[in-house]
Amino acid sequence: TPLPVGTVTFLFTDIEGSTKLWEQQREAMRIALARHDALMRQNIAQHSGHVIKTRGDGFHAVFANATDALEAALAAQMALHTEPWPEAVFIRVRMALHTGTADFRDDDYYGPAVNRASRLAGLGHGGQTLLSDVTHSLCRDLNPPGVTFNPLGEHILKGLERREAVFELRHPALPQTFPALQPLLASIDENTPSIAVLPFADLSPEKDQEYFTDGLAEELLNVLARGHGLRWASRRAALYFKVKN
């Protein structure tokens, strides 16, 4: 099938800690990388995606629509997570999805949308899948069963002026806890207002409404995430204050 043009969704991936793995476990890494590549290509192809290129151990793929890209990333993460990797080369892949219009020439894509997808991929950690604001907007009402999106706040992307509202793909079958995103280590404009949504307390007599109070806090954060010009703490960071006076 021909490569999609116009507005497309990019998937960028990268193996966490691969440089160290290559130095310490060259032969085992060679075998593991071949399996990683096969799983990535299989799941990208099964969801109507196209592999544009590989860079080192990372993949650059494109999809005609955002939901296909999301399903491909989810399927790939599940396959990678359940693969019985040797203990010495435990493969964990960071992934990022961004949707935009890119220039297409010589069977490759160029332009700001490609740069933003690449920078977004650099923020995450192994096993984590990040979505840009626009990709989240396209997928939030059409996400696969079990998938939720955790807002992680607005972040600076290296070399880009516009901040990006970042969302994390969540699924019960995948890891749930990751370190803070990389840009938190970068300098930020202290003049930008910031806000946090603290957990709501369950004041019902039976104390059986915690699911509702947690959902209310998360939905409020989702609403705030659609705004701009505001820094906001992730839900995970705010949970530190749960059951604290």
Side-chain angles (χ1 to χ4, degrees):
T1 58
L3 293 172
V5 295
T7 300
V8 297
T9 298
F10 295 106
L11 167 65
F12 275 72
T13 77
D14 180 56
I15 297 178
E16 184 176 58
S18 61
T19 300
K20 183 177 180 180
L21 290 173
W22 275 114
E23 289 182 353
Q24 298 180 353
Q25 304 287 340
R26 179 176 295 272
E27 183 58 25
M29 185 59 178
R30 183 184 64 81
I31 298 171
L33 185 62
R35 179 59 179 159
H36 158 273
D37 289 358
L39 291 173
M40 289 301 307
R41 291 184 183 278
Q42 174 185 335
N43 285 285
I44 290 169
Q46 286 179 348
H47 294 88
S48 304
H50 303 265
V51 175
I52 303 304
K53 65 180 73 170
T54 58
R55 291 181 175 177
D57 50 54
F59 274 71
H60 172 192
V62 65
F63 298 79
N65 64 74
T67 53
D68 284 344
L70 177 71
E71 290 178 353
L74 175 62
Q77 288 287 28
M78 286 187 166
L80 292 164
H81 182 65
T82 56
E83 180 71 16
W85 304 106
E87 185 175 349
V89 285
F90 198 62
I91 300 295
R92 286 293 174 263
V93 179
R94 58 172 66 91
M95 300 186 185
L97 298 167
H98 175 61
T99 305
T101 303
D103 296 327
F104 179 72
R105 63 179 185 275
D106 300 326
D107 293 329
D108 203 352
Y109 296 84
Y110 303 86
V114 179
N115 297 335
R116 187 162 289 270
S118 176
R119 293 291 187 265
L120 183 61
L123 307 186
H125 302 276
Q128 189 175 36
T129 300
L130 303 178
L131 287 76
S132 67
D133 188 21
V134 62
T135 304
H136 167 256
S137 297
L138 292 169
C139 294
R140 60 175 303 180
D141 296 325
L142 300 171
N143 51 295
V147 167
T148 58
F149 300 108
N150 181 34
L152 299 181
E154 273 193 356
H155 295 276
I156 299 170
L157 300 182
K158 183 179 179 181
L160 302 181
E161 292 186 4
R162 179 171 60 84
R163 295 171 181 265
E164 183 64 55
V166 180
F167 296 82
E168 175 189 80
L169 182 153
R170 303 287 293 273
H171 191 279
L174 294 174
Q176 302 290 306
T177 304
F178 299 96
L181 295 185
Q182 306 292 347
L184 295 180
L185 304 177
S187 60
I188 57 176
D189 182 2
E190 295 299 333
N191 294 320
T192 302
S194 60
I195 193 170
V197 178
L198 299 181
F200 287 88
D202 178 10
L203 301 181
S204 64
E206 305 300 329
K207 301 296 183 183
D208 59 351
Q209 299 297 309
E210 186 177 21
Y211 72 94
F212 177 75
T213 59
D214 287 349
L216 183 61
E218 184 167 359
E219 183 57 27
L220 181 54
L221 189 55
N222 284 331
V223 172
L224 290 172
R226 294 198 289 271
H228 295 283
L230 190 68
R231 288 187 290 120
W232 28 277
S234 70
R235 179 172 178 267
R236 185 181 299 121
L239 281 176
Y240 171 81
F241 297 95
K242 192 168 185 176
V243 305
K244 293 180 182 291
N245 292 327

